[in-house]
Amino acid sequence: MATLRSSFPSRLRQLLSAQGAMSPSIKLVSETRGMHTRNKKAMELIAKGWSALKEVDRVIDYCELNDKRLIPLLRTAKENFELALETDNSNSHARFWLSKLHLKYHVPGACKAVGAALLVEAADMGDADAQYELACRLRVENDYVQADQQAFHYLEMAVDQLHPAALYMLGAVYLTGDCVEKDISSAIWCFHRASQKGHAGAAIAYGSLLLRGVQVPECLTKFSKKDSSARTSRKNAENSTQNPLEMAREQFEIAAKAKCDLGFRWLKRLDEEEKRLTSL
């Protein structure tokens, strides 16, 4: 018993020493778990705020922007986004949604300067929605060359993340030659990728170009074959020999699936044209 008692302190010191040697790993795991917990909690708060904001968007067209009945919902959204940011200060989504509240809605305590700062921060942190929103605001709200350059910079950042609306906008920029050299092939690539993600406007633009006889660039087929599965690659190979009318129809069907009225109109026109041709 005496031997055990005398050896106990030394054993305890050895155990503590071993724990000290492992502390960096333990600390890293602890920090990772803590970060995951904070991020999870922040996302839950963002979801609550977004749900309140979605309800505002559902009824806002039927009332005044500063209708007092919207205040409770706007406050709920603002409080949840602010709590999300307090919980996880590195969360770019919380910054983006809080910036939208300050910039777009008549929420109590709204400040456009704060909203603009939050939007820039979220964009610089890599949030694709923020990058697209900032690009739109820089293009619309400024008449300066520098603003156009910054807008294009943020637009490209969002496109790098395959943001559908950003792809569509960049396609329009290349199609019109606005601020860049006109490039139909690049425009088609952008419309194609946005259409794949269900963007109705891109599908309409892509289908319209196909009906005008614009050729699908070879680089698009190669890109699709490289990044797609074998099944998708075979489909792309079939599309390359498809009738432009059939390819256009596929695009208008994508738009119609997104409940775009113009997609339905184009499909109707194609049906009428096919009936006319078969009757000749």
Side-chain angles (χ1 to χ4, degrees):
M1 180 68 70
T3 305
L4 180 60
R5 286 178 179 173
S6 62
S7 63
F8 181 74
S10 61
R11 288 181 181 178
L12 180 60
R13 284 194 295 272
Q14 289 175 2
L15 179 61
L16 291 174
S17 176
Q19 286 183 334
M22 292 170 60
S23 60
S25 299
I26 295 173
K27 184 178 180 182
L28 180 60
V29 171
S30 178
E31 288 177 351
T32 303
R33 286 177 178 172
M35 189 181 302
H36 175 74
T37 302
R38 289 195 301 273
N39 184 62
K40 183 179 179 182
K41 179 64 176 176
M43 295 308 291
E44 289 174 355
L45 290 165
I46 291 171
K48 290 179 182 178
W50 183 81
S51 180
L53 203 55
K54 187 178 180 181
E55 181 62 20
V56 172
D57 288 336
R58 189 180 69 83
V59 300
I60 201 168
D61 290 337
Y62 307 101
C63 59
E64 298 293 329
L65 292 176
N66 57 352
D67 193 311
K68 291 183 179 180
R69 290 172 295 181
L70 299 179
I71 298 300
L73 288 169
L74 290 170
R75 278 183 174 156
T76 297
K78 186 170 182 285
E79 287 170 3
N80 278 283
F81 294 147
E82 287 175 343
L83 285 172
L85 204 53
E86 288 179 14
T87 302
D88 182 7
N89 191 50
S90 64
N91 194 298
S92 61
H93 300 302
R95 275 181 168 76
F96 168 65
W97 285 107
L98 191 55
S99 75
K100 287 202 74 171
L101 269 179
H102 281 282
L103 292 169
K104 182 179 178 181
Y105 299 91
H106 291 265
V107 60
C111 175
K112 290 192 179 296
V114 171
L118 287 167
L119 184 60
V120 173
E121 286 179 0
D124 288 339
M125 290 171 70
D127 188 274
D129 288 327
Q131 290 162 353
Y132 170 68
E133 180 82 12
L134 183 55
C136 291
R137 289 182 174 274
L138 285 169
R139 281 180 61 82
V140 172
E141 298 178 5
N142 296 276
D143 296 324
Y144 303 104
V145 174
Q146 185 64 29
D148 275 340
Q149 292 174 348
Q150 290 177 333
F152 195 76
H153 167 70
Y154 283 110
L155 187 61
E156 284 189 314
M157 289 173 69
V159 166
D160 285 342
Q161 299 188 64
L162 298 180
H163 188 282
L167 282 162
Y168 173 59
M169 178 182 279
L170 188 60
V173 168
Y174 277 123
L175 185 63
T176 59
D178 183 18
C179 303
V180 295
E181 185 177 350
K182 190 172 181 178
D183 188 340
I184 301 298
S185 294
S186 294
I188 290 177
W189 183 89
C190 290
F191 291 146
H192 175 80
R193 295 313 298 265
S195 173
Q196 284 182 322
K197 291 180 171 291
H199 193 283
I204 294 294
Y206 189 20
S208 301
L209 287 171
L210 288 169
L211 289 179
R212 287 168 54 187
V214 175
Q215 295 296 315
V216 178
E218 186 180 355
C219 63
L220 183 61
T221 307
K222 288 182 178 179
F223 182 88
S224 298
K225 287 182 178 180
K226 185 183 294 185
D227 288 357
S228 303
S229 63
R231 182 178 178 181
T232 306
S233 296
R234 286 196 299 271
K235 185 177 179 181
N236 288 331
E238 292 170 2
N239 286 344
S240 64
T241 59
Q242 238 180 347
N243 187 304
L245 198 65
E246 294 175 357
M247 294 176 67
R249 178 181 288 278
E250 288 180 2
Q251 296 305 312
F252 298 141
E253 286 174 348
I254 290 172
K257 189 176 180 180
K259 302 205 181 342
C260 174
D261 185 57
L262 197 54
F264 289 110
R265 291 183 189 179
W266 270 110
L267 287 173
K268 184 178 179 181
R269 288 180 63 180
L270 289 182
D271 288 338
E272 291 174 350
E273 181 64 17
E274 286 182 353
K275 288 179 181 178
R276 188 186 69 81
L277 291 173
T278 53
S279 64
L280 294 177

